[in-house]
Amino acid sequence: MSNDGIITDAKKRYSAGVLKYRQMGYWDADYVPKDTDTICLFRITPQDGVDPVEAAAAVAGESSTATWTVVWTDRLTACDSYRAKAFKVEPVPGIPGQYFAWVAYDIILFEEGSIANITASLIGNVFSFKPLKAARLEDIRVPVALLKTFKGPPTGLIVERERLDKFGRPLLGATTKPKLGLSGRNYGRVIYEGLKGGLDFMKDDENINSQPFMHWRDRFLYVMDGVNKASAATGEVKGSYLNVTGATMEDIYERAEFAKELGSVVIMLDLVIGWSAIQSMANWARKNDMIVHMHRAGHGTYTRQKNHGVSFRVIAKWLRMAGVDHLHTGTAVGKLEGDPMTVQGYYNVCRDSYTKQDLQRGIYFDQDWADLKKVMPVASGGIHAGQMHQLLDLFGDDVILQFGGGTIGHPAGVQAGAVANRVALEAMVKARNEGVDIKTEGPEVLRKAAQWCTPLKQALDLWGEISFNYASTDSSDYAVTPSVS
Amino acid sequence: MITNPTGRITQGQFSFLPDLTDAEITLQVEYGLNKGYAWSVEYTDDPHPRNTYWEMFGMPMFDLKDAAGVLMELNACRKTFPNQYIRLMAFDATRNTESIVMSFIVNRPKTEPGFGLVRQETNGRTIRYTIHSYGTDKPEGERY
């Protein structure tokens, strides 16, 4: 192994040719990460015959300064600072051929306040690198020094609650259905009924922008009539996430400006608009007292498979830094992918002031959030009133529960669906606060409330038995006695 | 008349449930006290959704550890303002929270007139909306 170690003699190190990455200085088993270093945990699957340590060094190299051959121009720079350093490699427990690799990055590698720059390094070329069959960024520790260059959520969940005057319970939402085809006028009807019935928010779907059946201005105008009418009918602040996603930044700004002009408390963006657009809109939202709802459309293409891509916990951290107020983070009990513990891990990185290492939830690093505002997680997709006790138990108060089908599909209509959800929610929060063990006694709490609330009874009769119990593809791999430091 | 399914203003944590009894309110207050929150009693005759500052019936009870004390304050407020909206609010001073963490209505006027929506037509199809409290057509103190 000695001839594979780092070459310290400068003349040899920089003579033209091809060296192993570990020889070039991208592997240092003795390296102690600095408080100002960014630390990444990659899950790598080296090609057959590729040594895992060399593969880890290659990841460090390709995500920082390395190119495939030695370049003399390195010697014009303080190149040791710029080399990321892989400092630990361990087999993934129970999965042959996969390894966890820890890599540290000096703070000089990244531009201040730019997620685009961070991602271009950390998930740039390295993910197409041939010596690896697959690679996944599992988790990231962002140093406080770098974190402080980001402004974070424009509103944050605390101020959002103050603006909405809603405290001590999860918020309730619903996505307007059908996703496509409703005219503006028909669409606004669903908004009005849902909000008047008791929901706090209604939501545009991620693929509602400005299609032939409904121009965006028409949607915004009718939706805001529904929102204001429902607000007057209930005495509550109400909102509807107006999706301002468009083809260009100019379109997005134009739509957001109109939403503001109409008095909307919230706008919505799809993740697919990209990091720079998200950060631009976070700035816009800060200037315009706006809550930003982020729909994670597209994330499943790179977050779902355990062996390749980026874990959603990393995406959630980047989005909190980039500046969104709401983030879809999964339901664990609904129709979309999500192991309950792993999903709780996503919630924690959205809402914690300090996230402690928690291997069962897939959290590999302590993360000091340095007072960065908190993101409100959103549970959406195939959930219904009959799961209220599970949802409250899993996620607590600071979450938006979105019942789309579970509101609009109610046999007695949209208002009745909203009533069922709001009654189930309030009854469950009240019972929990009274000391009832809702995990076991939750169904009984719901049954009791259904005795005086017919819409809830109808909802439970229709959906009470529906569950989505499929094996999850993305659960945490951790050793029972962790050696992770 | 309020036409939403509850027939009343639905602010706060428990407006969709039957009115909480004093025993039930005590349990909620105890839940908050156990978490270290400070309770406060507030009242108003203008429950407009954007009327943030209801009147304080005394200061938040920072040093009170017994739910009975909070109930005493609440009942004193009910006696003074039997026909107004009264809410209990819990404050959490934890760093990065430092805000209200519970809030629910514990007293209402006999009749709740609710709100009207005033529409002002402006440019194009745009409408400016004003939510108007029917109650506030009369002066403070004479509303219900």
Side-chain angles (χ1 to χ4, degrees), chain A residues 95-329:
Chain A
I95 306 185
Q98 293 189 5
Y99 296 85
F100 283 137
W102 283 258
V103 182
Y105 300 82
D106 192 279
I107 195 163
I108 199 170
L109 267 73
F110 306 117
E111 179 177 343
E112 308 82 11
S114 169
I115 297 289
N117 180 246
I118 290 176
T119 52
S121 276
L122 301 183
I123 57 169
N125 286 348
V126 58
F127 276 68
S128 312
F129 191 51
K130 274 185 180 169
L132 301 177
K133 277 188 203 156
R136 187 192 206 209
L137 179 53
E138 285 282 344
D139 201 2
I140 184 169
R141 193 283 303 262
V142 183
V144 167
L146 182 60
L147 201 57
K148 275 291 187 190
T149 65
F150 289 85
K151 291 204 184 101
T155 310
L157 78 83
I158 302 293
V159 175
E160 170 171 0
R161 284 188 176 282
E162 291 189 339
R163 282 192 198 162
L164 301 175
D165 189 39
K166 296 171 196 293
F167 308 99
R169 64 168 175 84
L171 303 179
L172 280 181
T175 310
T176 306
K177 306 280 174 184
K179 285 182 160 203
L180 303 171
L182 292 172
S183 69
R185 181 173 173 152
N186 287 341
Y187 197 89
R189 164 62 70 186
V190 183
I191 305 292
Y192 173 58
E193 299 291 326
L195 295 178
K196 186 178 181 182
L199 303 185
D200 304 301
F201 285 124
M202 292 294 291
K203 171 181 169 291
D204 286 350
D205 234 314
E206 70 280 7
N207 52 354
I208 275 280
N209 294 160
S210 192
Q211 285 101 320
F213 51 84
M214 179 168 56
H215 188 272
W216 64 272
R217 285 182 66 98
D218 236 18
R219 181 169 83 256
F220 287 15
L221 285 162
Y222 282 111
V223 163
M224 289 315 295
D225 207 65
V227 167
N228 284 292
K229 207 167 142 60
S231 192
T234 58
E236 287 186 85
V237 179
K238 301 281 186 184
S240 190
Y241 319 148
L242 295 173
N243 190 350
V244 300
T245 300
T248 64
M249 239 10 254
E250 292 72 24
D251 289 343
I252 296 174
Y253 282 128
E254 183 190 2
R255 294 172 191 191
E257 284 294 337
F258 192 51
K260 178 190 75 173
E261 203 183 298
L262 293 174
S264 183
V265 295
V266 57
I267 56 162
M268 168 174 163
L269 299 170
D270 292 339
L271 181 58
V272 289
I273 66 172
W275 293 110
S276 302
I278 290 168
Q279 288 198 248
S280 287
M281 287 311 291
N283 281 337
W284 181 90
R286 266 178 223 109
K287 277 194 205 115
N288 293 285
D289 320 311
M290 195 64 82
I291 296 166
V292 174
H293 179 92
M294 169 57 56
H295 188 291
R296 56 177 179 170
H299 82 96
T301 54
Y302 47 87
T303 61
R304 191 173 184 187
Q305 299 303 325
K306 243 199 268 201
N307 65 333
H308 190 82
V310 183
S311 162
F312 189 73
R313 73 183 63 88
V314 176
I315 301 296
K317 286 181 178 181
W318 288 341
L319 283 168
R320 183 170 174 183
M321 293 157 70
V324 303
D325 295 308
H326 295 175
L327 176 59
H328 287 240
T329 34

Side-chain angles (χ1 to χ4, degrees), chain A residues 162 225 235-236 353 371 426, chain B residues 10-11 16 95-96 99 129:
Chain A
E162 291 189 339
D225 207 65
E236 287 186 85
S353 294
D371 304 309
E426 293 193 358
Chain B
T10 54
Q11 296 172 13
F16 275 69
R95 179 162 165 168
N96 294 160
S99 184
Y129 298 95

Side-chain angles (χ1 to χ4, degrees), chain A residues 52-63:
Chain A
V53 167
E54 175 62 9
V59 167
E62 290 297 324
S63 60

Side-chain angles (χ1 to χ4, degrees), chain B residues 51-62:
Chain B
N51 178 22
T52 305
Y53 303 113
W54 293 20
E55 305 306 320
M56 292 195 292
F57 193 77
M59 306 243 277
M61 292 166 259
F62 292 108

Side-chain angles (χ1 to χ4, degrees), chain B residues 6-116:
Chain B
T6 66
R8 57 189 193 170
I9 286 170
T10 54
Q11 296 172 13
Q13 283 170 280
F14 303 125
S15 282
F16 275 69
L17 305 181
D19 285 337
L20 272 59
T21 63
D22 278 12
E24 288 175 315
I25 293 170
T26 302
L27 288 173
Q28 295 298 319
V29 170
E30 280 170 352
Y31 173 80
L33 289 176
N34 287 334
K35 289 187 170 281
Y37 306 156
W39 284 99
S40 181
V41 179
E42 298 187 351
Y43 64 96
T44 191
D45 59 2
D46 177 17
H48 188 282
R50 295 288 295 274
N51 178 22
T52 305
Y53 303 113
W54 293 20
E55 305 306 320
M56 292 195 292
F57 193 77
M59 306 243 277
M61 292 166 259
F62 292 108
D63 301 311
L64 201 74
K65 300 289 171 239
D66 184 2
V70 177
L71 265 286
M72 228 162 75
E73 280 300 298
L74 166 60
N75 283 320
C77 185
R78 279 170 167 163
K79 213 170 153 190
T80 320
F81 303 105
N83 212 23
Q84 299 209 16
Y85 290 92
I86 302 176
R87 68 187 176 194
L88 281 177
M89 290 191 130
F91 292 88
D92 180 359
T94 308
R95 179 162 165 168
N96 294 160
T97 300
E98 296 152 303
S99 184
I100 298 139
V101 286
M102 292 176 76
S103 172
F104 53 97
I105 293 177
V106 286
N107 199 72
R108 294 168 187 268
K110 276 184 227 55
T111 55
E112 299 190 57
F115 310 92

